[in-house]
Amino acid sequence: MTMDAIRYENGTISYPGHPRGPGGSNPAETIDLSEYTAEVVTWTTSTATPPGVREPNYLAIVEFDVEGESVRAIGQLTTDDVETGDEVRPVHVDELREPGAGIREPESQDWDGYRFTPV
């Protein structure tokens, strides 16, 4: 499983990727962010979570440095034992939320993804 970001013709990187980058730039390359570490920019604890999401849910905005280009992502943390500025790495999990909870048909959703864990 990969955590795909897109580098565009103009050199910018976006996560998640989009069909067109800044100024209409075309995608040029896929970058797997799971091979990098990131720095916690900010984080919070959510105690009012959607159906099927663990409670409390620890969330962070993290910043990757990919060859001098900054790439930010938001996602769940594995723990609340983090501080702004800490180094984290993405770890793949099979279920970010419980597939049977909520109104969506479980077969219509991807339930796996990445959380961030302290290095």
PDB file of all heavy atoms in Angstrom, residues 22-62:
ATOM      1  N   PRO A  22      -1.320  23.403  -9.651  1.00  0.00           N
ATOM      2  CA  PRO A  22      -1.374  24.865  -9.699  1.00  0.00           C
ATOM      3  C   PRO A  22      -1.102  25.388 -11.108  1.00  0.00           C
ATOM      4  O   PRO A  22      -0.207  24.918 -11.804  1.00  0.00           O
ATOM      5  CB  PRO A  22      -0.265  25.290  -8.730  1.00  0.00           C
ATOM      6  CG  PRO A  22      -0.128  24.135  -7.791  1.00  0.00           C
ATOM      7  CD  PRO A  22      -0.401  22.917  -8.625  1.00  0.00           C
ATOM      8  N   GLY A  23      -1.919  26.347 -11.535  1.00  0.00           N
ATOM      9  CA  GLY A  23      -1.761  26.927 -12.864  1.00  0.00           C
ATOM     10  C   GLY A  23      -2.086  25.969 -13.988  1.00  0.00           C
ATOM     11  O   GLY A  23      -1.690  26.185 -15.122  1.00  0.00           O
ATOM     12  N   GLY A  24      -2.798  24.883 -13.686  1.00  0.00           N
ATOM     13  CA  GLY A  24      -3.162  23.908 -14.715  1.00  0.00           C
ATOM     14  C   GLY A  24      -2.057  22.928 -15.057  1.00  0.00           C
ATOM     15  O   GLY A  24      -2.133  22.217 -16.054  1.00  0.00           O
ATOM     16  N   SER A  25      -1.034  22.869 -14.230  1.00  0.00           N
ATOM     17  CA  SER A  25       0.106  21.982 -14.461  1.00  0.00           C
ATOM     18  C   SER A  25      -0.345  20.521 -14.462  1.00  0.00           C
ATOM     19  O   SER A  25      -1.197  20.115 -13.676  1.00  0.00           O
ATOM     20  CB  SER A  25       1.141  22.232 -13.357  1.00  0.00           C
ATOM     21  OG  SER A  25       2.282  21.458 -13.563  1.00  0.00           O
ATOM     22  N   ASN A  26       0.246  19.725 -15.339  1.00  0.00           N
ATOM     23  CA  ASN A  26      -0.084  18.306 -15.441  1.00  0.00           C
ATOM     24  C   ASN A  26       0.707  17.474 -14.437  1.00  0.00           C
ATOM     25  O   ASN A  26       1.846  17.810 -14.107  1.00  0.00           O
ATOM     26  CB  ASN A  26       0.219  17.784 -16.844  1.00  0.00           C
ATOM     27  CG  ASN A  26      -0.734  18.325 -17.873  1.00  0.00           C
ATOM     28  OD1 ASN A  26      -1.941  18.354 -17.654  1.00  0.00           O
ATOM     29  ND2 ASN A  26      -0.189  18.775 -18.995  1.00  0.00           N
ATOM     30  N   PRO A  27       0.127  16.356 -13.970  1.00  0.00           N
ATOM     31  CA  PRO A  27       0.879  15.438 -13.112  1.00  0.00           C
ATOM     32  C   PRO A  27       2.093  14.903 -13.858  1.00  0.00           C
ATOM     33  O   PRO A  27       2.008  14.574 -15.039  1.00  0.00           O
ATOM     34  CB  PRO A  27      -0.116  14.313 -12.822  1.00  0.00           C
ATOM     35  CG  PRO A  27      -1.466  14.912 -13.063  1.00  0.00           C
ATOM     36  CD  PRO A  27      -1.268  15.920 -14.151  1.00  0.00           C
ATOM     37  N   ALA A  28       3.231  14.830 -13.171  1.00  0.00           N
ATOM     38  CA  ALA A  28       4.454  14.355 -13.813  1.00  0.00           C
ATOM     39  C   ALA A  28       5.011  13.101 -13.155  1.00  0.00           C
ATOM     40  O   ALA A  28       5.670  12.300 -13.810  1.00  0.00           O
ATOM     41  CB  ALA A  28       5.512  15.461 -13.798  1.00  0.00           C
ATOM     42  N   GLU A  29       4.732  12.926 -11.845  1.00  0.00           N
ATOM     43  CA  GLU A  29       5.356  11.823 -11.106  1.00  0.00           C
ATOM     44  C   GLU A  29       4.553  11.520  -9.846  1.00  0.00           C
ATOM     45  O   GLU A  29       4.010  12.415  -9.222  1.00  0.00           O
ATOM     46  CB  GLU A  29       6.781  12.267 -10.737  1.00  0.00           C
ATOM     47  CG  GLU A  29       7.518  11.399  -9.780  1.00  0.00           C
ATOM     48  CD  GLU A  29       8.850  12.014  -9.359  1.00  0.00           C
ATOM     49  OE1 GLU A  29       9.107  13.218  -9.559  1.00  0.00           O
ATOM     50  OE2 GLU A  29       9.637  11.250  -8.786  1.00  0.00           O
ATOM     51  N   THR A  30       4.513  10.252  -9.458  1.00  0.00           N
ATOM     52  CA  THR A  30       3.904   9.839  -8.205  1.00  0.00           C
ATOM     53  C   THR A  30       5.007   9.645  -7.171  1.00  0.00           C
ATOM     54  O   THR A  30       6.046   9.066  -7.467  1.00  0.00           O
ATOM     55  CB  THR A  30       3.118   8.528  -8.382  1.00  0.00           C
ATOM     56  OG1 THR A  30       2.115   8.723  -9.369  1.00  0.00           O
ATOM     57  CG2 THR A  30       2.467   8.092  -7.086  1.00  0.00           C
ATOM     58  N   ILE A  31       4.761  10.146  -5.955  1.00  0.00           N
ATOM     59  CA  ILE A  31       5.723  10.025  -4.859  1.00  0.00           C
ATOM     60  C   ILE A  31       5.033   9.302  -3.711  1.00  0.00           C
ATOM     61  O   ILE A  31       3.932   9.690  -3.300  1.00  0.00           O
ATOM     62  CB  ILE A  31       6.203  11.410  -4.397  1.00  0.00           C
ATOM     63  CG1 ILE A  31       6.940  12.105  -5.541  1.00  0.00           C
ATOM     64  CG2 ILE A  31       7.076  11.303  -3.156  1.00  0.00           C
ATOM     65  CD1 ILE A  31       7.182  13.567  -5.305  1.00  0.00           C
ATOM     66  N   ASP A  32       5.655   8.271  -3.168  1.00  0.00           N
ATOM     67  CA  ASP A  32       5.098   7.515  -2.042  1.00  0.00           C
ATOM     68  C   ASP A  32       5.555   8.155  -0.736  1.00  0.00           C
ATOM     69  O   ASP A  32       6.702   7.992  -0.320  1.00  0.00           O
ATOM     70  CB  ASP A  32       5.543   6.063  -2.121  1.00  0.00           C
ATOM     71  CG  ASP A  32       4.971   5.199  -1.017  1.00  0.00           C
ATOM     72  OD1 ASP A  32       4.162   5.708  -0.201  1.00  0.00           O
ATOM     73  OD2 ASP A  32       5.338   4.013  -0.954  1.00  0.00           O
ATOM     74  N   LEU A  33       4.655   8.909  -0.087  1.00  0.00           N
ATOM     75  CA  LEU A  33       4.994   9.592   1.159  1.00  0.00           C
ATOM     76  C   LEU A  33       5.268   8.625   2.310  1.00  0.00           C
ATOM     77  O   LEU A  33       5.882   9.005   3.301  1.00  0.00           O
ATOM     78  CB  LEU A  33       3.887  10.576   1.556  1.00  0.00           C
ATOM     79  CG  LEU A  33       3.688  11.768   0.627  1.00  0.00           C
ATOM     80  CD1 LEU A  33       2.527  12.623   1.115  1.00  0.00           C
ATOM     81  CD2 LEU A  33       4.953  12.600   0.511  1.00  0.00           C
ATOM     82  N   SER A  34       4.822   7.373   2.192  1.00  0.00           N
ATOM     83  CA  SER A  34       5.067   6.417   3.282  1.00  0.00           C
ATOM     84  C   SER A  34       6.551   6.087   3.421  1.00  0.00           C
ATOM     85  O   SER A  34       6.963   5.480   4.401  1.00  0.00           O
ATOM     86  CB  SER A  34       4.246   5.141   3.093  1.00  0.00           C
ATOM     87  OG  SER A  34       4.719   4.383   2.000  1.00  0.00           O
ATOM     88  N   GLU A  35       7.364   6.512   2.469  1.00  0.00           N
ATOM     89  CA  GLU A  35       8.807   6.304   2.541  1.00  0.00           C
ATOM     90  C   GLU A  35       9.521   7.459   3.256  1.00  0.00           C
ATOM     91  O   GLU A  35      10.738   7.434   3.398  1.00  0.00           O
ATOM     92  CB  GLU A  35       9.379   6.137   1.133  1.00  0.00           C
ATOM     93  CG  GLU A  35       8.834   4.909   0.419  1.00  0.00           C
ATOM     94  CD  GLU A  35       9.326   4.803  -1.016  1.00  0.00           C
ATOM     95  OE1 GLU A  35      10.097   5.676  -1.465  1.00  0.00           O
ATOM     96  OE2 GLU A  35       8.929   3.834  -1.685  1.00  0.00           O
ATOM     97  N   TYR A  36       8.767   8.479   3.680  1.00  0.00           N
ATOM     98  CA  TYR A  36       9.334   9.676   4.304  1.00  0.00           C
ATOM     99  C   TYR A  36       8.837   9.818   5.734  1.00  0.00           C
ATOM    100  O   TYR A  36       7.839   9.217   6.123  1.00  0.00           O
ATOM    101  CB  TYR A  36       8.911  10.933   3.521  1.00  0.00           C
ATOM    102  CG  TYR A  36       9.487  11.017   2.138  1.00  0.00           C
ATOM    103  CD1 TYR A  36       8.899  10.349   1.075  1.00  0.00           C
ATOM    104  CD2 TYR A  36      10.622  11.773   1.893  1.00  0.00           C
ATOM    105  CE1 TYR A  36       9.428  10.435  -0.206  1.00  0.00           C
ATOM    106  CE2 TYR A  36      11.162  11.868   0.616  1.00  0.00           C
ATOM    107  CZ  TYR A  36      10.556  11.192  -0.423  1.00  0.00           C
ATOM    108  OH  TYR A  36      11.078  11.285  -1.676  1.00  0.00           O
ATOM    109  N   THR A  37       9.524  10.643   6.511  1.00  0.00           N
ATOM    110  CA  THR A  37       9.015  11.062   7.806  1.00  0.00           C
ATOM    111  C   THR A  37       8.507  12.492   7.658  1.00  0.00           C
ATOM    112  O   THR A  37       8.826  13.181   6.691  1.00  0.00           O
ATOM    113  CB  THR A  37      10.091  10.988   8.914  1.00  0.00           C
ATOM    114  OG1 THR A  37      11.175  11.840   8.568  1.00  0.00           O
ATOM    115  CG2 THR A  37      10.559   9.560   9.125  1.00  0.00           C
ATOM    116  N   ALA A  38       7.717  12.926   8.641  1.00  0.00           N
ATOM    117  CA  ALA A  38       7.127  14.262   8.608  1.00  0.00           C
ATOM    118  C   ALA A  38       7.236  14.891   9.984  1.00  0.00           C
ATOM    119  O   ALA A  38       7.522  14.222  10.977  1.00  0.00           O
ATOM    120  CB  ALA A  38       5.656  14.170   8.183  1.00  0.00           C
ATOM    121  N   GLU A  39       6.984  16.181  10.051  1.00  0.00           N
ATOM    122  CA  GLU A  39       6.986  16.919  11.311  1.00  0.00           C
ATOM    123  C   GLU A  39       5.555  17.324  11.647  1.00  0.00           C
ATOM    124  O   GLU A  39       4.815  17.785  10.783  1.00  0.00           O
ATOM    125  CB  GLU A  39       7.855  18.171  11.170  1.00  0.00           C
ATOM    126  CG  GLU A  39       7.929  18.989  12.441  1.00  0.00           C
ATOM    127  CD  GLU A  39       8.811  20.217  12.274  1.00  0.00           C
ATOM    128  OE1 GLU A  39       9.928  20.071  11.743  1.00  0.00           O
ATOM    129  OE2 GLU A  39       8.379  21.311  12.689  1.00  0.00           O
ATOM    130  N   VAL A  40       5.176  17.151  12.924  1.00  0.00           N
ATOM    131  CA  VAL A  40       3.838  17.559  13.363  1.00  0.00           C
ATOM    132  C   VAL A  40       3.784  19.085  13.385  1.00  0.00           C
ATOM    133  O   VAL A  40       4.557  19.743  14.067  1.00  0.00           O
ATOM    134  CB  VAL A  40       3.518  16.985  14.762  1.00  0.00           C
ATOM    135  CG1 VAL A  40       2.182  17.523  15.269  1.00  0.00           C
ATOM    136  CG2 VAL A  40       3.505  15.467  14.729  1.00  0.00           C
ATOM    137  N   VAL A  41       2.860  19.648  12.608  1.00  0.00           N
ATOM    138  CA  VAL A  41       2.649  21.093  12.570  1.00  0.00           C
ATOM    139  C   VAL A  41       1.703  21.497  13.706  1.00  0.00           C
ATOM    140  O   VAL A  41       1.945  22.449  14.429  1.00  0.00           O
ATOM    141  CB  VAL A  41       2.074  21.535  11.203  1.00  0.00           C
ATOM    142  CG1 VAL A  41       1.738  23.016  11.199  1.00  0.00           C
ATOM    143  CG2 VAL A  41       3.044  21.184  10.080  1.00  0.00           C
ATOM    144  N   THR A  42       0.636  20.729  13.847  1.00  0.00           N
ATOM    145  CA  THR A  42      -0.322  20.927  14.931  1.00  0.00           C
ATOM    146  C   THR A  42      -1.128  19.642  15.084  1.00  0.00           C
ATOM    147  O   THR A  42      -1.173  18.819  14.172  1.00  0.00           O
ATOM    148  CB  THR A  42      -1.251  22.129  14.669  1.00  0.00           C
ATOM    149  OG1 THR A  42      -2.034  22.406  15.838  1.00  0.00           O
ATOM    150  CG2 THR A  42      -2.162  21.897  13.482  1.00  0.00           C
ATOM    151  N   TRP A  43      -1.751  19.470  16.253  1.00  0.00           N
ATOM    152  CA  TRP A  43      -2.566  18.271  16.462  1.00  0.00           C
ATOM    153  C   TRP A  43      -3.676  18.585  17.453  1.00  0.00           C
ATOM    154  O   TRP A  43      -3.646  19.596  18.144  1.00  0.00           O
ATOM    155  CB  TRP A  43      -1.700  17.100  16.928  1.00  0.00           C
ATOM    156  CG  TRP A  43      -1.169  17.219  18.313  1.00  0.00           C
ATOM    157  CD1 TRP A  43      -0.093  17.943  18.719  1.00  0.00           C
ATOM    158  CD2 TRP A  43      -1.716  16.618  19.480  1.00  0.00           C
ATOM    159  NE1 TRP A  43       0.077  17.813  20.069  1.00  0.00           N
ATOM    160  CE2 TRP A  43      -0.910  17.010  20.560  1.00  0.00           C
ATOM    161  CE3 TRP A  43      -2.802  15.789  19.712  1.00  0.00           C
ATOM    162  CZ2 TRP A  43      -1.175  16.593  21.862  1.00  0.00           C
ATOM    163  CZ3 TRP A  43      -3.045  15.372  21.012  1.00  0.00           C
ATOM    164  CH2 TRP A  43      -2.240  15.766  22.063  1.00  0.00           C
ATOM    165  N   THR A  44      -4.674  17.715  17.481  1.00  0.00           N
ATOM    166  CA  THR A  44      -5.813  17.902  18.370  1.00  0.00           C
ATOM    167  C   THR A  44      -6.426  16.552  18.705  1.00  0.00           C
ATOM    168  O   THR A  44      -6.143  15.544  18.063  1.00  0.00           O
ATOM    169  CB  THR A  44      -6.875  18.831  17.727  1.00  0.00           C
ATOM    170  OG1 THR A  44      -7.848  19.187  18.705  1.00  0.00           O
ATOM    171  CG2 THR A  44      -7.562  18.163  16.553  1.00  0.00           C
ATOM    172  N   THR A  45      -7.279  16.560  19.703  1.00  0.00           N
ATOM    173  CA  THR A  45      -8.045  15.373  20.081  1.00  0.00           C
ATOM    174  C   THR A  45      -9.513  15.650  19.814  1.00  0.00           C
ATOM    175  O   THR A  45     -10.062  16.647  20.288  1.00  0.00           O
ATOM    176  CB  THR A  45      -7.857  15.044  21.575  1.00  0.00           C
ATOM    177  OG1 THR A  45      -6.471  14.814  21.821  1.00  0.00           O
ATOM    178  CG2 THR A  45      -8.658  13.819  21.969  1.00  0.00           C
ATOM    179  N   SER A  46     -10.157  14.771  19.051  1.00  0.00           N
ATOM    180  CA  SER A  46     -11.587  14.876  18.774  1.00  0.00           C
ATOM    181  C   SER A  46     -12.324  13.882  19.658  1.00  0.00           C
ATOM    182  O   SER A  46     -12.018  12.691  19.656  1.00  0.00           O
ATOM    183  CB  SER A  46     -11.868  14.569  17.306  1.00  0.00           C
ATOM    184  OG  SER A  46     -13.258  14.504  17.082  1.00  0.00           O
ATOM    185  N   THR A  47     -13.301  14.378  20.423  1.00  0.00           N
ATOM    186  CA  THR A  47     -14.100  13.490  21.278  1.00  0.00           C
ATOM    187  C   THR A  47     -15.521  13.324  20.751  1.00  0.00           C
ATOM    188  O   THR A  47     -16.302  12.574  21.320  1.00  0.00           O
ATOM    189  CB  THR A  47     -14.146  14.025  22.717  1.00  0.00           C
ATOM    190  OG1 THR A  47     -14.653  15.352  22.695  1.00  0.00           O
ATOM    191  CG2 THR A  47     -12.765  13.994  23.342  1.00  0.00           C
ATOM    192  N   ALA A  48     -15.853  14.003  19.672  1.00  0.00           N
ATOM    193  CA  ALA A  48     -17.158  13.856  19.019  1.00  0.00           C
ATOM    194  C   ALA A  48     -16.898  13.344  17.609  1.00  0.00           C
ATOM    195  O   ALA A  48     -16.809  14.118  16.659  1.00  0.00           O
ATOM    196  CB  ALA A  48     -17.899  15.184  18.997  1.00  0.00           C
ATOM    197  N   THR A  49     -16.729  12.034  17.490  1.00  0.00           N
ATOM    198  CA  THR A  49     -16.314  11.448  16.219  1.00  0.00           C
ATOM    199  C   THR A  49     -17.503  10.921  15.419  1.00  0.00           C
ATOM    200  O   THR A  49     -18.553  10.610  15.990  1.00  0.00           O
ATOM    201  CB  THR A  49     -15.328  10.295  16.468  1.00  0.00           C
ATOM    202  OG1 THR A  49     -15.985   9.296  17.238  1.00  0.00           O
ATOM    203  CG2 THR A  49     -14.087  10.778  17.197  1.00  0.00           C
ATOM    204  N   PRO A  50     -17.348  10.799  14.096  1.00  0.00           N
ATOM    205  CA  PRO A  50     -18.407  10.204  13.265  1.00  0.00           C
ATOM    206  C   PRO A  50     -18.602   8.733  13.615  1.00  0.00           C
ATOM    207  O   PRO A  50     -17.720   8.117  14.223  1.00  0.00           O
ATOM    208  CB  PRO A  50     -17.865  10.349  11.839  1.00  0.00           C
ATOM    209  CG  PRO A  50     -16.724  11.282  11.912  1.00  0.00           C
ATOM    210  CD  PRO A  50     -16.211  11.260  13.312  1.00  0.00           C
ATOM    211  N   PRO A  51     -19.726   8.147  13.220  1.00  0.00           N
ATOM    212  CA  PRO A  51     -19.955   6.727  13.501  1.00  0.00           C
ATOM    213  C   PRO A  51     -18.815   5.854  12.984  1.00  0.00           C
ATOM    214  O   PRO A  51     -18.347   6.028  11.865  1.00  0.00           O
ATOM    215  CB  PRO A  51     -21.253   6.420  12.741  1.00  0.00           C
ATOM    216  CG  PRO A  51     -21.933   7.736  12.615  1.00  0.00           C
ATOM    217  CD  PRO A  51     -20.841   8.755  12.501  1.00  0.00           C
ATOM    218  N   GLY A  52     -18.344   4.956  13.834  1.00  0.00           N
ATOM    219  CA  GLY A  52     -17.315   4.014  13.444  1.00  0.00           C
ATOM    220  C   GLY A  52     -15.890   4.496  13.637  1.00  0.00           C
ATOM    221  O   GLY A  52     -14.957   3.723  13.466  1.00  0.00           O
ATOM    222  N   VAL A  53     -15.703   5.767  13.980  1.00  0.00           N
ATOM    223  CA  VAL A  53     -14.359   6.298  14.199  1.00  0.00           C
ATOM    224  C   VAL A  53     -14.064   6.231  15.692  1.00  0.00           C
ATOM    225  O   VAL A  53     -14.912   6.588  16.512  1.00  0.00           O
ATOM    226  CB  VAL A  53     -14.231   7.748  13.684  1.00  0.00           C
ATOM    227  CG1 VAL A  53     -12.869   8.331  14.020  1.00  0.00           C
ATOM    228  CG2 VAL A  53     -14.480   7.798  12.183  1.00  0.00           C
ATOM    229  N   ARG A  54     -12.867   5.782  16.030  1.00  0.00           N
ATOM    230  CA  ARG A  54     -12.521   5.610  17.440  1.00  0.00           C
ATOM    231  C   ARG A  54     -12.661   6.929  18.204  1.00  0.00           C
ATOM    232  O   ARG A  54     -12.492   8.012  17.648  1.00  0.00           O
ATOM    233  CB  ARG A  54     -11.106   5.064  17.568  1.00  0.00           C
ATOM    234  CG  ARG A  54     -10.084   6.075  17.090  1.00  0.00           C
ATOM    235  CD  ARG A  54      -8.704   5.537  17.052  1.00  0.00           C
ATOM    236  NE  ARG A  54      -7.836   6.609  16.557  1.00  0.00           N
ATOM    237  CZ  ARG A  54      -6.553   6.581  16.605  1.00  0.00           C
ATOM    238  NH1 ARG A  54      -5.941   5.547  17.118  1.00  0.00           N
ATOM    239  NH2 ARG A  54      -5.843   7.580  16.149  1.00  0.00           N
ATOM    240  N   GLU A  55     -12.983   6.790  19.467  1.00  0.00           N
ATOM    241  CA  GLU A  55     -13.127   7.962  20.334  1.00  0.00           C
ATOM    242  C   GLU A  55     -12.346   7.723  21.617  1.00  0.00           C
ATOM    243  O   GLU A  55     -12.544   6.689  22.250  1.00  0.00           O
ATOM    244  CB  GLU A  55     -14.599   8.192  20.670  1.00  0.00           C
ATOM    245  CG  GLU A  55     -14.840   9.455  21.432  1.00  0.00           C
ATOM    246  CD  GLU A  55     -16.319   9.678  21.763  1.00  0.00           C
ATOM    247  OE1 GLU A  55     -17.189   9.307  20.969  1.00  0.00           O
ATOM    248  OE2 GLU A  55     -16.572  10.200  22.845  1.00  0.00           O
ATOM    249  N   PRO A  56     -11.442   8.604  21.991  1.00  0.00           N
ATOM    250  CA  PRO A  56     -11.093   9.835  21.280  1.00  0.00           C
ATOM    251  C   PRO A  56     -10.266   9.533  20.027  1.00  0.00           C
ATOM    252  O   PRO A  56      -9.649   8.476  19.910  1.00  0.00           O
ATOM    253  CB  PRO A  56     -10.266  10.621  22.290  1.00  0.00           C
ATOM    254  CG  PRO A  56      -9.657   9.588  23.179  1.00  0.00           C
ATOM    255  CD  PRO A  56     -10.651   8.451  23.223  1.00  0.00           C
ATOM    256  N   ASN A  57     -10.281  10.469  19.108  1.00  0.00           N
ATOM    257  CA  ASN A  57      -9.550  10.345  17.852  1.00  0.00           C
ATOM    258  C   ASN A  57      -8.495  11.443  17.807  1.00  0.00           C
ATOM    259  O   ASN A  57      -8.822  12.618  17.910  1.00  0.00           O
ATOM    260  CB  ASN A  57     -10.512  10.476  16.667  1.00  0.00           C
ATOM    261  CG  ASN A  57      -9.869  10.111  15.361  1.00  0.00           C
ATOM    262  OD1 ASN A  57      -8.914   9.352  15.310  1.00  0.00           O
ATOM    263  ND2 ASN A  57     -10.391  10.664  14.284  1.00  0.00           N
ATOM    264  N   TYR A  58      -7.238  11.057  17.683  1.00  0.00           N
ATOM    265  CA  TYR A  58      -6.139  12.014  17.667  1.00  0.00           C
ATOM    266  C   TYR A  58      -5.790  12.331  16.214  1.00  0.00           C
ATOM    267  O   TYR A  58      -5.535  11.420  15.427  1.00  0.00           O
ATOM    268  CB  TYR A  58      -4.916  11.438  18.398  1.00  0.00           C
ATOM    269  CG  TYR A  58      -5.284  10.849  19.732  1.00  0.00           C
ATOM    270  CD1 TYR A  58      -5.196   9.490  19.973  1.00  0.00           C
ATOM    271  CD2 TYR A  58      -5.768  11.665  20.751  1.00  0.00           C
ATOM    272  CE1 TYR A  58      -5.559   8.946  21.187  1.00  0.00           C
ATOM    273  CE2 TYR A  58      -6.131  11.130  21.980  1.00  0.00           C
ATOM    274  CZ  TYR A  58      -6.028   9.769  22.188  1.00  0.00           C
ATOM    275  OH  TYR A  58      -6.393   9.244  23.396  1.00  0.00           O
ATOM    276  N   LEU A  59      -5.800  13.605  15.863  1.00  0.00           N
ATOM    277  CA  LEU A  59      -5.582  14.048  14.489  1.00  0.00           C
ATOM    278  C   LEU A  59      -4.410  15.023  14.432  1.00  0.00           C
ATOM    279  O   LEU A  59      -4.190  15.786  15.372  1.00  0.00           O
ATOM    280  CB  LEU A  59      -6.822  14.758  13.953  1.00  0.00           C
ATOM    281  CG  LEU A  59      -8.108  13.941  13.965  1.00  0.00           C
ATOM    282  CD1 LEU A  59      -9.310  14.840  13.732  1.00  0.00           C
ATOM    283  CD2 LEU A  59      -8.034  12.881  12.888  1.00  0.00           C
ATOM    284  N   ALA A  60      -3.701  15.014  13.308  1.00  0.00           N
ATOM    285  CA  ALA A  60      -2.576  15.941  13.153  1.00  0.00           C
ATOM    286  C   ALA A  60      -2.488  16.451  11.727  1.00  0.00           C
ATOM    287  O   ALA A  60      -2.882  15.763  10.779  1.00  0.00           O
ATOM    288  CB  ALA A  60      -1.260  15.253  13.506  1.00  0.00           C
ATOM    289  N   ILE A  61      -1.962  17.649  11.598  1.00  0.00           N
ATOM    290  CA  ILE A  61      -1.477  18.150  10.317  1.00  0.00           C
ATOM    291  C   ILE A  61       0.028  17.961  10.378  1.00  0.00           C
ATOM    292  O   ILE A  61       0.675  18.393  11.336  1.00  0.00           O
ATOM    293  CB  ILE A  61      -1.842  19.625  10.097  1.00  0.00           C
ATOM    294  CG1 ILE A  61      -3.358  19.781  10.025  1.00  0.00           C
ATOM    295  CG2 ILE A  61      -1.168  20.158   8.823  1.00  0.00           C
ATOM    296  CD1 ILE A  61      -3.834  21.217   9.952  1.00  0.00           C
ATOM    297  N   VAL A  62       0.566  17.269   9.393  1.00  0.00           N
ATOM    298  CA  VAL A  62       1.994  16.999   9.351  1.00  0.00           C
ATOM    299  C   VAL A  62       2.581  17.567   8.062  1.00  0.00           C
ATOM    300  O   VAL A  62       1.867  17.767   7.078  1.00  0.00           O
ATOM    301  CB  VAL A  62       2.306  15.483   9.456  1.00  0.00           C
ATOM    302  CG1 VAL A  62       1.730  14.908  10.752  1.00  0.00           C
ATOM    303  CG2 VAL A  62       1.788  14.721   8.258  1.00  0.00           C
TER     304      VAL A  62
END
